[in-house]
Amino acid sequence: MYNKLIDKFKSEKLDFPKATAKSDGAYFVQAMVLCNALWYVTNHHTTINDAARRKKKLSPIPPPFEEYDGFNDMKRKKLKALQLSSLELNSHAQALYSLLMKPIINCSPSWKNAGTEIQQLADCLLSYRDYLTEQKQTAQSNQNLEHPVRTIEKDATIEHRMHNPFGVKAKYAMLDLALKEASGPSPVIFDEFIHIEKPFSTNDERYRYFQHLQLSVPIDIIRFSPGGSTISTTCILQVEENRTQDEILTQGAQFLQRVRSQLKEFHTRIQRRLFKEKLKNVASVLPAVADLLYKELTLDASVAAHPITQDRLRLIFLGQTGLIPDLRSLNPGRPSGTFDVFFEALSGIVENVTVADERPICLNLFPSMT
């Protein structure tokens, strides 16, 4: 890279006066300023340019420096690729700005043009530094939320598609058959390994498939993405034809609640930490504690305050394990089968707990869960 920079300086006639050639020339190229800045981002041109296409505030790698990409072959060296750091980017950018303060920058048209290129490179590094800082702050803020960053209520979408009167296209035949075979009003969770002949190889194939999706029956489509790089979950339900707008909205909301248990949400770190802290605080069967425990275990506290439910919780805490299945059946809003393994483990723990005497006791029903 150093030799390539020297050739660039010679071809663009970026000469130094003899009196300052050793000092300024070495500072520009050799003394870890321009060369070192380009070396630091040599394996990250694509990353920076892709981010610049998505964010207007970001600047891409300047075209005069695009040829300095991929000089540090980490695979050949059998080393792990280094991630960009906001502190390092800032350090290199500030060093580049120091070059612009040199008197030689304004001594000729060729040097003025070189100064513009160096400034563009420094601006690129600073913009990506700000981007990394913003991303870090957003991630830290999201991790401290007491609810998922993307929730089903706010981020799930539903749309209606009419049936195709001219027949179903071949690529939709397997999905159409699966929807017809679904028992009653059961939704179909789209799976590209089941409902199409060959899984999607690119995102544009996936987009075009759903963009033109029409089956032999009218359908509602629910989509939800929990965030990150996770592919959206797509639920499809056969619906009646000739519905009014009010019926479409009402039935769409009912459909969303029906498939809620099959839509994944990503919980934050603070959610998991708070849940563990709440379990440690279970020391007596108070109504508030019982409601909280029931809500955390079953995802639905709608019937926890009912007197019958309260009595069953009290008996379970005293060691009557046979009531745990009965408690589960009292909660129709709980996703079926989702927490069966947990409840079986809970049953085994409670079964091993015995009451030593009639004195007030404090049972540690839940060991720490990691």
Side-chain angles (χ1 to χ4, degrees):
M1 180 180 288
Y2 171 74
N3 293 334
K4 194 175 185 67
L5 275 174
I6 294 296
D7 293 339
K8 173 182 172 66
F9 273 60
K10 290 181 178 179
S11 63
E12 296 180 3
K13 298 182 179 180
L14 301 176
D15 301 323
F16 296 89
K18 291 183 179 180
T20 61
K22 292 184 178 181
S23 57
D24 287 351
Y27 185 75
F28 262 85
V29 182
Q30 187 176 7
M32 298 302 176
V33 181
L34 182 57
C35 184
N36 198 34
L38 292 172
W39 181 264
Y40 183 68
V41 298
T42 185
N43 293 336
H44 302 283
H45 284 211
T46 302
T47 301
I48 295 176
N49 291 336
D50 288 346
R53 295 188 187 98
R54 300 191 302 268
K55 302 287 184 179
K56 294 182 179 180
K57 296 181 180 180
L58 292 180
S59 301
I61 298 293
F65 298 111
E66 288 181 349
E67 58 182 336
Y68 297 92
D69 181 27
F71 272 78
N72 191 7
D73 190 352
M74 304 300 289
K75 291 184 178 180
R76 184 178 61 84
K77 296 178 181 179
K78 297 182 179 180
L79 297 175
K80 184 178 181 180
L82 299 177
Q83 299 297 321
L84 292 176
S85 165
S86 59
L87 294 177
E88 290 290 336
L89 288 170
N90 181 68
S91 176
H92 289 297
Q94 298 304 326
L96 290 175
Y97 278 117
S98 71
L99 297 183
L100 302 177
M101 302 299 295
K102 294 291 182 180
I104 197 172
I105 288 294
N106 297 314
C107 71
S108 68
S110 58
W111 269 112
K112 288 183 179 179
N113 182 63
T116 301
E117 294 175 356
I118 293 174
Q119 181 181 352
Q120 291 175 349
L121 179 60
D123 291 342
C124 169
L125 300 185
L126 282 185
S127 66
Y128 201 76
R129 175 208 64 181
D130 295 338
Y131 170 73
L132 291 181
T133 302
E134 182 181 350
Q135 290 293 100
K136 181 180 178 179
Q137 293 174 349
T138 301
Q140 291 176 343
S141 176
N142 290 341
Q143 290 166 2
N144 291 325
L145 293 176
E146 296 184 6
H147 57 79
V149 178
R150 296 178 60 85
T151 60
I152 297 174
E153 291 79 3
K154 293 182 179 180
D155 298 293
T157 62
I158 183 168
E159 59 178 308
H160 176 69
R161 298 280 180 90
M162 300 297 294
H163 76 283
N164 191 343
F166 304 104
V168 179
K169 295 182 179 180
K171 62 180 179 180
Y172 301 127
M174 297 175 66
L175 178 60
D176 188 73
L177 178 61
L179 192 63
K180 290 180 178 179
E181 293 178 348
S183 57
S186 300
V188 172
I189 310 300
F190 179 80
D191 187 342
E192 60 185 84
F193 295 96
I194 298 176
H195 298 131
I196 57 177
E197 294 182 356
K198 183 180 179 181
F200 302 118
S201 58
T202 59
N203 285 329
D204 64 299
E205 289 183 9
R206 183 178 291 103
Y207 168 78
R208 291 190 177 90
Y209 180 89
F210 289 106
Q211 182 70 12
H212 305 99
L213 175 61
Q214 274 191 305
L215 303 180
S216 62
V217 293
I219 57 175
D220 279 348
I221 304 174
I222 283 184
R223 291 189 184 127
F224 176 70
S225 173
S229 58
T230 305
I231 297 175
S232 299
T233 302
T234 303
C235 304
I236 304 172
L237 178 70
Q238 179 179 348
V239 296
E240 298 178 358
E241 206 163 0
N242 301 323
R243 296 181 298 171
T244 65
Q245 187 65 27
D246 291 341
E247 289 176 335
I248 292 177
L249 295 176
T250 303
Q251 293 178 10
Q254 294 173 348
F255 177 27
L256 178 60
Q257 293 303 317
R258 193 184 310 169
V259 301
R260 183 184 179 89
S261 62
Q262 303 181 60
L263 302 177
K264 299 178 180 179
E265 288 181 331
F266 288 164
H267 286 199
T268 63
R269 293 181 182 177
I270 194 68
Q271 281 183 278
R272 295 190 289 269
R273 182 172 64 82
L274 289 176
F275 177 68
K276 293 178 181 179
E277 290 178 356
K278 292 171 184 176
L279 290 181
K280 294 179 182 178
N281 293 330
V282 177
S284 61
V285 193
L286 298 175
V289 175
D291 286 349
L292 179 62
L293 180 61
Y294 190 84
K295 180 179 180 179
E296 296 289 356
L297 294 180
T298 65
L299 302 180
D300 186 358
S302 59
V303 298
H306 194 277
I308 298 178
T309 304
Q310 293 282 358
D311 185 57
R312 281 167 169 74
L313 286 170
R314 182 179 61 82
L315 294 176
I316 288 173
F317 286 152
L318 292 177
Q320 296 190 23
T321 61
L323 291 177
I324 290 181
D326 184 38
L327 178 62
R328 279 184 281 181
S329 65
L330 287 176
N331 179 29
R334 186 184 66 83
S336 177
T338 303
F339 289 97
D340 284 347
V341 176
F342 181 84
F343 273 102
E344 294 301 329
L346 171 65
S347 176
I349 294 173
V350 175
E351 188 174 358
N352 293 330
V353 176
T354 58
V355 180
D357 52 33
E358 296 297 328
R359 293 175 295 175
I361 58 174
C362 175
L363 299 181
N364 183 14
L365 297 181
F366 301 94
S368 59
M369 300 182 349
T370 57

